[in-house]
Amino acid sequence: MRYQTILLLGLAAPSLMADPPARVGRLNLIQGTVSFRAGSVDEWAIAQPNRPLTTGDRLWTDESSRAEVHVGSTAIRLSAQTELDFVNVDDQTLQMRLASGTATIRIRSVDDGQVYEIDTPNSAVTFGRAGEYRIDVNPDGTM
């Protein structure tokens, strides 16, 4: 029995010792009412400034509200009535889903192997170089 326990711990050890991603988002600007839902929770809550954001997290900006998130040197600005989900955030990937509303993303640089992507209900937009981009998704899901 003792041998089995040690073997199981030995198999789990590499995944327990893996470094978490160094890159996460930070909610650094809130104007108006902005809601947050962690990837591991089913309820929305009032978002707080400086909240770290990672894979599975969601933001919603209410009417007459806006928010700004920084992921490294990349800035994501959300207009009113916008829902943005963080699909995959790690050292190489920033993949988001814009369910509705308007997001402006300012990418300062794209290193080799890095992926920046915003998925919408009808398409996906991948950014291969630095720049400022705006994506609008209408309430009916069209761009």
Side-chain angles (χ1 to χ4, degrees), residues 22-98:
R23 192 165 73 155
V24 297
R26 181 176 67 87
L27 181 59
N28 67 319
L29 174 80
I30 296 173
Q31 290 183 340
T33 303
V34 177
S35 299
F36 165 79
R37 188 175 111 180
S40 59
V41 178
D42 288 334
E43 296 181 19
W44 290 89
I46 299 297
Q48 300 298 318
N50 296 316
R51 167 82 183 163
L53 300 164
T54 191
T55 300
D57 292 345
R58 293 178 170 189
L59 289 175
W60 166 258
T61 55
D62 210 350
E63 199 171 311
S64 302
S65 301
R66 66 186 195 127
E68 183 175 282
V69 175
H70 282 199
V71 181
S73 64
T74 299
I76 302 117
R77 294 176 186 94
L78 307 179
S79 296
Q81 296 183 312
T82 298
E83 181 183 342
L84 184 73
D85 308 339
F86 292 87
V87 176
N88 189 6
V89 181
D90 63 27
D91 295 334
Q92 295 300 314
T93 306
L94 176 56
Q95 181 184 13
M96 299 163 285
R97 179 179 165 269
L98 183 63

Side-chain angles (χ1 to χ4, degrees), residues 76 84 94-98 103-105 116-120 123-127 135:
I76 302 117
L84 184 73
L94 176 56
Q95 181 184 13
M96 299 163 285
R97 179 179 165 269
L98 183 63
T104 303
I105 181 169
Y116 292 88
E117 180 178 299
I118 295 182
D119 302 327
T120 69
S123 64
V125 180
T126 302
F127 308 98
I135 300 188

